[in-house]
Amino acid sequence: MNIMLFGAPGAGKGTQAKYIIDQYGIPQISTGDMLRAAISEGTTMGMEAKGFMDDGKLVPDSTIIGIIKDRLSQEDCKDGFILDGFPRTLAQAEALEELLKDLNMSLDKVISLNVPDELIVDRITGRRVCPACGASFHVEFNPSKVAGKCDYCGGDLVTRKDDTKETVENRLVSYHEQTAPLFHFYKDKGVMAEIDGTKDINVIKEEIFSILG
Ligand code: ADP
Ligand code: ADP
Ligand code: ZN
């Protein structure tokens, strides 16, 4: 099962990706997590991406398409995957089409988590993430069982450097200008399922499971 989670920053993609992994056993491919891993390893690619990420701008398409190409070609994607945070531009979506064709794969479902901008700032500023496994929690809306510790791996939770009110405003601009138009790209392909992302996390989880079957 090849799935894409679509939505604004803070819409809940990463949160739901973890539930899908548990239920269906397919890997999450988060370009944001991969970029953060590259930054913490100090690779050239990570260093180049960092400035864009800190400013809330998109990292250049060539970088992103390169990392996705490597990742989707790996063995563990053969039985399915969850794209989270990719594609974010039309050029990325077109590159993905090509890549999937080459790999003899296709997308089964695009799940759009619809959340209005007004709710995004509180979600992002209250977010706490686990750098070890990529899980995300919220101080108020989805607290971890033990404060400051990841429910999945026990790692220490941190606030992402770009999860500030100022940066989130730039990220929303990038989203509306460059990413939101992809909604129609996938709707026209007939693979789009829309979910009201303002609902309770567990309600959304069940809706996703019933869409995926
Ligand atoms: P994304 O991966 O789309 O950027 P996350 O899954 O990290 O988003 O969620 C952003 C923040 O909002 C996190 O702090 C998360 O705990 C919280 N969150 C996710 N889904 C919901 C929801 N349905 N209601 C309230 N808060 C949510
Ligand atoms: P969020 O879902 O909260 O926006 P992500 O972890 O998906 O956060 O992304 C963090 C940052 O990484 C983005 O603001 C952007 O700078 C960069 N990034 C992640 N994925 C992509 C992508 N597909 N294309 C361009 N930049 C990306
Ligand atoms: Zn963790």
Side-chain angles (χ1 to χ4, degrees):
M1 180 157 34
N2 303 336
I3 307 163
M4 177 196 304
L5 294 173
F6 185 81
K13 303 180 296 295
T15 302
Q16 296 299 330
K18 291 286 180 250
Y19 302 138
I20 300 173
I21 297 172
D22 284 352
Q23 184 81 358
Y24 298 94
I26 53 178
Q28 171 191 16
I29 300 179
S30 159
T31 40
D33 285 350
M34 290 158 87
L35 292 167
R36 281 183 289 278
I39 292 173
S40 68
E41 286 161 16
T43 68
T44 311
M45 187 266 279
M47 294 304 109
E48 283 168 7
K50 190 175 185 301
F52 295 99
M53 295 169 78
D54 287 347
D55 290 344
K57 304 228 172 72
L58 293 183
V59 171
D61 287 333
S62 55
T63 306
I64 301 290
I65 292 165
I67 60 180
I68 282 286
K69 208 169 190 163
D70 289 346
R71 185 65 189 89
L72 274 183
S73 315
Q74 286 168 20
E75 193 58 35
D76 66 334
C77 293
K78 291 261 180 319
D79 296 325
F81 52 79
I82 311 157
L83 292 174
D84 165 8
F86 173 90
R88 268 166 139 110
T89 64
L90 190 57
Q92 292 179 19
E94 285 166 349
L96 176 65
E97 294 292 296
E98 281 299 303
L99 184 58
L100 290 175
K101 209 163 73 190
D102 290 348
L103 293 167
N104 230 339
M105 293 172 167
S106 59
L107 277 179
D108 298 307
K109 272 282 176 254
V110 175
I111 295 174
S112 175
L113 295 169
N114 300 340
V115 178
D117 284 6
E118 305 84 83
L119 299 184
I120 295 292
V121 174
D122 284 348
R123 284 201 185 184
I124 296 262
T125 53
R127 172 158 64 183
R128 298 294 178 269
V129 300
C130 174
C133 78
S136 71
F137 301 89
H138 192 283
V139 285
E140 187 185 342
F141 309 143
N142 186 27
S144 57
K145 291 193 184 77
V146 178
K149 298 281 178 198
C150 176
D151 286 358
Y152 296 90
C153 77
D156 288 326
L157 301 182
V158 301
T159 303
R160 263 168 54 183
K161 191 162 182 281
D162 58 340
D163 278 353
T164 60
K165 192 171 180 306
E166 296 70 39
T167 309
V168 90
E169 280 160 9
N170 291 339
R171 286 156 66 192
L172 282 170
V173 170
S174 306
Y175 174 73
H176 287 292
E177 284 180 2
Q178 296 174 269
T179 309
L182 295 184
F183 180 88
H184 299 286
F185 182 91
Y186 290 106
K187 188 137 183 139
D188 291 348
K189 288 189 178 295
V191 288
M192 178 66 86
E194 287 185 75
I195 288 196
D196 176 357
T198 67
K199 289 187 186 169
D200 181 83
I201 288 178
N202 286 306
V203 172
I204 296 173
K205 174 172 92 174
E206 293 307 326
E207 288 186 6
I208 292 178
F209 289 173
S210 77
I211 288 167
L212 298 179

